[in-house]
C-alpha cells in the first residue's frame, strides 16, 4: 500500500488505474472518474496567473444552468464510485460534497470563486482511490 499522510492523495493519483482496480472494466471506470474530475476542476489554465480552473467554475458563470450541468457531471464521479463498489460512507461523503458544491456554487461571484479554489471533484476521486486501496 502506498505511503500514508499528506503524500497519500498524490501517491494514489499517480498510481495507474489498473493498480487500484480489480478488472479492466473497473480500471476504465476509475480513469473515467479521474477524467471527469480533471475536466470539472482543472481543465483550463488561466493565462498570466498560471492557475488551473475547471468547467465547474466556468459553468457557474451561467446562472442556474451552468451549476446544474456541473452537478450532473460531478454525479458521474459518484456513479462510477458506486459501480466500483465504494463503501456507503464514501458514497455519502461524495454526495454531500456534490450537494455543497451545488449550494455554494449557485451563489453569484462567491460561489464561482470557491468553485475555482476548492476542488471538490478531485477530493471525491481521492476518497474513491483511498476506498479502493483499502479493499485490497
Amino acid at each position: 500500500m502506498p505511503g500514508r499522510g499528506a503524500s497519500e492523495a498524490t501517491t494514489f493519483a499517480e498510481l495507474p488505474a489498473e493498480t487500484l482496480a480489480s478488472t479492466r472494466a473497473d480500471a476504465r471506470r476509475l480513469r473515467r472518474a479521474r477524467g471527469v474530475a480533471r475536466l470539472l476542476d482543472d481543465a483550463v489554465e488561466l493565462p498570466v496567473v498560471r492557475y488551473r480552473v475547471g468547467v465547474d467554475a466556468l459553468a457557474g458563470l451561467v446562472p442556474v444552468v451552468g451549476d446544474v450541468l456541473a452537478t450532473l457531471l460531478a454525479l458521474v464521479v459518484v456513479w462510477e464510485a458506486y459501480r466500483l463498489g465504494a463503501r456507503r460512507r464514501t458514497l455519502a461523503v461524495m454526495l454531500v460534497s456534490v450537494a455543497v458544491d451545488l449550494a455554494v456554487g449557485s451563489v453569484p461571484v462567491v460561489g464561482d470563486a470557491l468553485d475555482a479554489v476548492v476542488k471538490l471533484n478531485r477530493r471525491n476521486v481521492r476518497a474513491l482511490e483511498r476506498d479502493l486501496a483499502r479493499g485490497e
Side-chain angles (χ1 to χ4, degrees), residues 31-78:
R31 281 193 299 272
R32 188 175 306 120
R34 286 174 171 174
V36 170
R38 192 175 313 109
L39 174 71
L40 286 169
D41 291 342
D42 297 316
V44 179
E45 184 175 335
L46 298 176
V48 181
V49 293
R50 300 192 59 152
Y51 184 77
R52 299 193 74 78
V53 296
V55 172
D56 192 3
L58 299 175
L61 297 173
V62 179
V64 182
V65 174
D67 291 317
V68 169
L69 289 176
T71 299
L72 291 174
L73 284 171
L75 288 172
V76 169
V77 175
V78 179

Side-chain angles (χ1 to χ4, degrees), residues 22-23 37 44 46-47 66 124 130 132:
S22 56
T23 67
V44 179
L46 298 176
N124 279 347
R130 279 192 304 272
L132 293 173

Side-chain angles (χ1 to χ4, degrees), residues 53-125:
V53 296
V55 172
D56 192 3
L58 299 175
L61 297 173
V62 179
V64 182
V65 174
D67 291 317
V68 169
L69 289 176
T71 299
L72 291 174
L73 284 171
L75 288 172
V76 169
V77 175
V78 179
W79 174 248
E80 293 300 349
Y82 171 77
R83 292 178 69 196
L84 284 163
R87 292 173 173 86
R88 287 183 185 171
R89 184 183 192 294
T90 301
L91 293 171
V93 168
M94 293 172 80
L95 286 170
V96 167
S97 293
V98 171
V100 167
D101 189 36
L102 176 62
V104 173
S106 64
V107 176
V109 182
V110 173
D112 301 326
L114 285 175
D115 278 340
V117 175
V118 180
K119 312 290 186 170
L120 289 175
N121 297 292
R122 283 194 334 203
R123 186 177 298 169
N124 279 347
V125 169

